[in-house]
Amino acid sequence: MLDFCRKLTGKKAKAITEAVVEQTDSQQPAAAAPERRPRRTNVEYQRNDNGRPGRPPRERFERNKDSSYQGDRSRHDSHRDTQRDTPRPRRDTSNLGPKLNPDHQSAILPALRVIPRDQHNISRKDISPNALKVLYRLNDAGFEAYLVGGCIRDLLLGLIPKDFDVVTNATPDEVRAVFKNCRLIGRRFRLAHVVFGREVIEVATFRGHHSGGEEEENIPAGVRSDHGQILRDNVYGTIEEDAERRDFSINALYYSVRDFAIYDFANGVEAIQQRKIELIGDPETRYREDPVRILRAIRFATKLNMDLAPATAALIPELAVLLKNIPAARLFDESLKLLMAGKAFDNFVMMRDLGILKQLLPQVHKVLKQDSEGKVFHLITNALQDTDERVAQDKPVTPAFIYAALLWYPVELRMQTLLIESGLNDIDALNIAMTEVLDDLVRTIGIPKRFTLVVRDLWSLQGRLSKRAGRRAFKLMELPKFRGAFDFMQLRAKAEGGQLAELALWWQQFVNADDAEREELVLDLGKEGIEPRKPRRKRKPVRRKPAADQA
């Protein structure tokens, strides 16, 4: 009935509602009105135990003041006083170091040297937080984990590490089970990459020695080539074996977050103090295992301003031929580290002196042999030094420009040969020469096509920059590769001089001028910037045969 009345509107609905309520009250006995709770004072109105205002405070638990409670409290107070008076015991770090194999006897490594925290300058503040997460989580999962290699070396030298590598006794599959943000890569040696946004922490398992025996149940044995090169390296071992497998003594350094000590297996700290790059073990064996170590030795020597140890440098000219067995894609990655890390000129000079340039860039070695101190050397020197300056100023660099400078004179030499032998025109001879030189290079150093196309554009525009009359100069400036071709021409002008220097000066004025000044520069050229047309070949008149007389 009440619901029906609520649907009605106006005075009629109000009257019906009041009548229904009076009838209902007359039928039921009147109930006593509930007592109204007295309003709380300001003292009583306070926050309860949960910190929520407006609710009655929770009754606190009051213990009975008996002897048992007093006794427990006295024991608790006495224990707290004892803790305050007694100094905290020092952490036992005797079992926090690496689990060494007592039966392992190394003929390569010296005695292990442990450098405690108070004797080195490495702090966790200098280490990537993501790398620390990986170390702590692997340790909590029951595995050994250490920072290893270049990051420890750079921190000891006061440098900023480029990345942080972790080594552990966990297999790659076990690492992936610990980290959800992990992916496994690598064919030659299986690695785990733990991804934190843009930062990737590389986690490797302790490497072992190649016994040459049968494959174990779950761990494939390593594979070597006839030259002694390691083709497959998924052989796991202990930390001592991993230290023996490291290439240089300055990279056999392990840092633990358990006791914050450095474990030096190959006198790496002493080598850092002596500024010396030294291989671990027999140099010939180590170079044959991985010939890329030849390039790494040069790169570390120039990057860290160190010297190669005599035994490390002696066999490089003889064994540099082994670099031909390295995949072209891997050599390209190593070439980027050599040419684009700020030490390109120093690396190039050392490679030339040690005979490595003959194996990696035989065409460059050939032209340098003919003109060791002439325009070829000056062009390469200017290009590499400018690249080092741009890297130091944090400006962008591209390998296409470097390879264009390295191979320009081999292309020019081949072009001249084609012009003499085959009688081709300049454009066809240049295209054939570019294709031949780049194909030879790609077979040795696998430069991707996105870079070789840029190299071809830089070379092709060198001939077009001399044609400036009319609207050609304005159209050339609109090309996307004009700036790179112009910079390359300026380097050539420094090396060659003569008319090329005058051409580079004109383009410099044209680039820096406004539209009116550019028009004047073009008008001042006259016929100088116009390519002379070749005379057309006159065709011999075709004699028509007389029509046959019709019978």
Side-chain angles (χ1 to χ4, degrees), residues 58-296:
R58 183 180 301 173
E59 295 182 359
R60 303 192 175 211
F61 178 75
E62 297 181 359
R63 297 177 181 268
N64 296 327
K65 298 180 180 181
D66 53 359
S67 58
S68 60
Y69 173 73
Q70 293 291 337
D72 293 341
R73 184 168 184 176
S74 61
R75 286 198 302 269
H76 177 70
D77 294 342
S78 62
H79 179 65
R80 290 178 59 185
D81 296 339
T82 305
Q83 283 185 334
R84 291 176 181 175
D85 297 339
T86 305
R88 176 180 291 182
R90 297 188 63 181
R91 187 180 182 185
D92 184 15
T93 60
S94 59
N95 59 345
L96 297 181
K99 299 177 182 179
L100 302 177
N101 184 6
D103 299 330
H104 180 78
Q105 295 180 356
S106 176
I108 301 176
L109 300 177
L112 173 64
R113 180 186 175 190
V114 181
I115 305 173
R117 174 64 187 91
D118 55 355
Q119 296 182 16
H120 63 78
N121 62 335
I122 297 180
S123 173
R124 282 176 293 175
K125 297 179 181 179
D126 303 326
I127 301 174
S128 167
N130 295 324
L132 294 175
K133 290 179 184 177
V134 173
L135 293 174
Y136 284 125
R137 195 177 299 181
L138 285 174
N139 288 335
D140 294 340
F143 300 106
E144 294 183 68
Y146 306 90
L147 285 178
V148 67
C151 58
I152 307 302
R153 175 200 67 217
D154 292 345
L155 289 175
L156 289 175
L157 289 170
L159 304 175
I160 300 177
K162 183 180 65 175
D163 50 21
F164 292 87
D165 296 334
V166 175
V167 67
T168 178
N169 61 344
T171 63
D173 292 330
E174 291 173 338
V175 175
R176 183 169 58 178
V178 176
F179 299 94
K180 295 181 180 179
N181 54 331
C182 175
R183 62 170 182 255
L184 301 184
I185 66 164
R187 198 172 184 180
R188 179 176 176 270
F189 185 71
R190 204 80 167 136
L191 296 172
H193 278 184
V194 185
V195 183
F196 297 91
R198 295 185 177 181
E199 185 178 9
V200 178
I201 305 299
E202 185 176 280
V203 182
T205 308
F206 291 147
R207 288 177 293 181
H209 292 299
H210 295 255
S211 60
E214 299 180 356
E215 295 185 359
E216 298 182 8
E217 183 177 358
N218 294 324
I219 303 176
V223 180
R224 290 176 181 264
S225 67
D226 297 336
H227 303 284
Q229 180 182 348
I230 297 177
L231 303 179
R232 187 174 293 274
D233 200 13
N234 293 316
V235 180
Y236 306 135
T238 62
I239 189 172
E240 299 103 322
E241 295 175 344
D242 185 83
E244 292 175 353
R245 292 290 309 278
R246 297 282 160 182
D247 46 9
F248 302 102
S249 58
I250 59 176
N251 292 336
L253 300 171
Y254 297 75
Y255 175 82
S256 174
V257 292
R258 290 184 173 181
D259 54 358
F260 315 118
I262 296 176
Y263 295 88
D264 186 359
F265 284 87
N267 291 334
V269 175
E270 182 180 353
I272 291 175
Q273 295 173 352
Q274 296 178 358
R275 319 292 297 184
K276 181 174 61 176
I277 305 293
E278 185 176 11
L279 277 169
I280 298 175
D282 179 50
E284 183 176 359
T285 303
R286 305 315 301 273
Y287 284 144
R288 290 188 179 275
E289 287 178 351
D290 188 5
V292 174
R293 287 171 179 159
I294 296 175
L295 303 180
R296 287 169 58 85

Side-chain angles (χ1 to χ4, degrees), residues 474 509-510 512-522 524:
F474 295 92
Q509 296 173 353
F510 187 82
N512 297 330
D514 55 15
D515 293 338
E517 294 174 346
R518 289 173 182 174
E519 293 286 352
E520 294 180 1
L521 287 172
V522 173
D524 293 340

